[in-house]
Amino acid sequence: MLSQLWAPRAWLPGGWRERVLLEVGRDGRWLAITPDRDAPPGAEIAAGPLLPALVDAHSHAFQRAFAGLAETREGATEDDFWSWRERMYGVASRITAGQLCAVAAQLYVELLRGGYTQVCEFHYLQRDPEGQPYADPLTLGWALADAAAEAGIGLTLLPALYERAGFTLPALREEQRRFALDAQGAWEAARRVREAGRPLLSAGLAIHSLRAAAPVSILALRDLSEDFEGPIHIHVAEQSAEVEQCLGATGERPIQWLYGQGLLDPRWHLVHATHATRKEIAAVDASEAGVVLCPSTEANLGDGLADLPGWLAAGVGVSIGSDSQVSRDAVEELRWLEYGQRLHLRRRNLAAAPGTGQPSTAARLLDVAVHAGARAAGEPAWGLVEGARADALVADAGAGGLLGVPAERLLDALLFAGPTRPWRDVLVAGRWVIREGRHPEAEAIAQRFSAAMLALWSGG
């Protein structure tokens, strides 16, 4: 483990600082961060600009096996989220624990290369392929934990309450048989993960969605977790059809229902929240809950466009996620948070806030995502700040988009003068997991991933 890291330039709260000395405690967290210091003897020298790593606040690891494989449309049938979901179920129904571990390990190496050092795994794949409980109900959860440990990424496992197929469908469909988990099961899974004591492993809770969990079960989980300090995630208002169904079943929109039940508080993170009204945004702000936006997946699935200016103006924490894994690049997610709004509103620099001293779109997006990501992962702090885990990214100063860029515009160029290049070096808890773009286990992990993909897609 490092004890001292010196960076000629680092992105600290407030912007770039020069000649920064970062000290790492024995617990793998930043002990002290001091700008305007010469490098002391024995300190390791960062090989480029140092930036905070990102939290991937929403991931379904098994869907990495499906990324890029739903991009055709047969016949005259329209294609949307719901038809994509039916095809995705085919992978969910047959992936084994060993294949899940292989797929997740490949994903987690890719996420590290893409700038994420912590992943919040929204985990709803629970049972065996026949829909029967494993002898250890956490068999698939441990497969994800093993994959994260091999890759060297931090993992927040979020076992998901999932018990019905829809607002008016009280049971799961046959193709959803592997997802069954009640409130007590989700609570017990989170407790076991938290008590396991594995390095870089923590747990929160998840509710798949209002359509997939009955109100009585959601309230039961609320009661079980009354003193729980970890994060609670839920898919909500992702699709306009979901909003319409919720209105028909409850008389309220999904976010409106959650707020009206008194459920929302700072532990809650609303994933997608694509179809939210300004009144609902104000309610989320009042509750101090956060939102998780996944622009590459939301675009890929045709979800719609979240009201990023509304969320930012209200001061709601906005984290980012890779979700269906069509992109594993944190910079791309941040870039498309902004680009989606530019296309929709036909204006530029929508995320910038010069009135509050934040004229840089890139700086505001990064700072918001870093801060909100900490809460989404259940971390007390995040980024290049004292007390946060000693995670960091070293940019490749030789990347084409950064060459010749004035020093003060480096972050702007990194986000908006793509294409993105993998990070040169990646630090997790004071240890390098990627050096000069290389992960030590990448080749072995890729071989197992390829074998798992062959078995999944050849019927073997």
Side-chain angles (χ1 to χ4, degrees):
M1 181 187 295
L2 288 176
S3 60
Q4 293 182 318
L5 176 65
W6 186 85
R9 166 171 295 232
W11 183 265
L12 305 187
W16 291 111
R17 298 297 300 270
E18 307 293 328
R19 302 166 40 246
V20 180
L21 178 64
L22 304 98
E23 300 175 67
V24 183
R26 293 183 179 179
D27 59 356
R29 292 183 175 272
W30 297 122
L31 184 63
I33 299 176
T34 311
D36 303 317
R37 285 280 303 273
D38 291 331
E44 183 154 349
I45 309 300
L50 196 72
L51 291 100
L54 275 294
V55 170
D56 181 347
H58 189 64
S59 165
H60 303 300
F62 79 92
Q63 291 182 20
R64 175 63 183 87
F66 192 50
L69 301 180
E71 306 307 318
T72 59
R73 181 166 61 89
E74 305 299 332
T77 305
E78 291 188 356
D79 197 4
D80 59 13
F81 168 85
W82 306 101
S83 53
W84 170 89
R85 187 183 71 158
E86 294 303 312
R87 285 175 281 174
M88 178 270 291
Y89 284 162
V91 180
S93 68
R94 63 183 184 270
I95 194 169
T96 67
Q99 290 166 347
L100 176 62
C101 187
V103 168
Q106 176 69 20
L107 167 67
Y108 294 155
V109 169
E110 292 170 346
L111 291 179
L112 287 166
R113 286 175 171 153
Y116 298 110
T117 58
Q118 181 79 16
V119 56
C120 299
E121 189 63 44
F122 196 108
H123 177 50
Y124 62 84
L125 194 60
Q126 309 291 347
R127 299 188 172 214
D128 73 16
E130 302 304 316
Q132 298 302 309
Y134 288 99
D136 180 352
L138 268 173
T139 292
L140 297 177
W142 296 135
L144 294 166
D146 290 345
E150 183 178 19
I153 199 169
L155 175 66
T156 304
L157 193 68
L158 304 166
L161 167 61
Y162 202 139
E163 61 183 1
R164 66 182 189 179
F167 288 101
T168 61
L169 301 170
L172 293 170
R173 294 162 46 186
E174 172 61 20
E175 56 267 39
Q176 298 171 318
R177 61 188 178 274
R178 303 192 70 180
F179 308 159
L181 190 67
D182 61 16
Q184 185 65 47
W187 174 248
E188 180 64 16
R191 182 194 65 78
R192 288 184 61 200
V193 171
R194 288 170 74 87
E195 292 178 357
R198 291 196 185 194
L200 302 181
L201 176 64
S202 62
L205 292 166
I207 300 158
H208 181 272
S209 57
L210 294 187
R211 68 176 184 272
V216 65
S217 299
I218 296 173
L219 297 176
L221 189 60
R222 186 267 313 269
D223 294 341
L224 287 166
S225 61
E226 183 177 1
D227 298 321
F228 181 65
E229 296 181 355
I232 302 172
H233 292 223
I234 182 172
H235 293 126
V236 66
E238 178 178 7
Q239 288 287 318
S240 55
E242 176 197 343
V243 176
E244 294 164 4
Q245 291 164 9
C246 189
L247 279 165
T250 69
E252 295 181 302
R253 299 167 59 87
I255 297 174
Q256 181 186 11
W257 187 89
L258 289 169
Y259 183 74
Q261 295 294 316
L263 288 163
L264 300 184
D265 61 42
R267 300 173 299 170
W268 283 69
H269 298 271
L270 309 184
V271 181
H272 304 303
T274 307
H275 304 281
T277 67
R278 287 297 174 98
K279 185 175 181 180
E280 288 172 321
I281 290 173
V284 174
D285 176 43
S287 73
E288 299 184 56
V291 296
V292 185
L293 304 184
C294 311
S296 65
T297 289
E298 289 152 6
N300 184 270
L301 299 183
D303 288 347
L305 197 63
D307 184 1
L308 178 67
W311 291 116
L312 292 177
V316 174
V318 177
S319 53
I320 58 170
S322 64
D323 195 356
S324 68
Q325 318 308 341
V326 292
S327 172
R328 283 84 67 194
D329 178 358
V331 168
E332 184 175 17
E333 300 296 341
L334 292 174
R335 181 185 301 134
W336 277 99
L337 277 180
E338 170 71 19
Y339 279 176
Q341 302 300 320
R342 294 187 186 191
L343 287 168
H344 176 58
L345 298 172
R346 289 175 286 180
R347 289 184 284 131
R348 302 186 70 252
N349 290 310
L350 277 302
T356 60
Q358 294 177 300
S360 166
T361 294
R364 191 179 188 202
L365 289 174
L366 178 64
D367 290 348
V368 166
V370 166
H371 179 73
R375 292 177 50 204
E379 284 285 328
W382 198 258
L384 302 184
V385 295
E386 293 177 10
R389 199 171 71 201
D391 292 17
L393 308 172
V394 178
D396 182 355
L402 303 184
L403 288 176
V405 172
E408 67 275 12
R409 298 295 185 194
L410 190 65
L411 187 64
D412 302 313
L414 198 150
L415 258 68
F416 296 111
T420 308
R421 283 179 61 170
W423 296 91
R424 185 189 189 282
D425 305 309
V426 179
L427 187 73
V428 178
R431 291 184 170 86
W432 296 110
V433 294
I434 290 180
R435 297 304 305 266
E436 298 182 14
R438 298 182 180 90
H439 188 287
E441 303 300 325
E443 184 175 351
I445 287 172
Q447 288 176 354
R448 294 201 304 277
F449 173 71
S450 296
M453 288 290 283
L454 180 62
L456 283 166
W457 294 106
S458 68

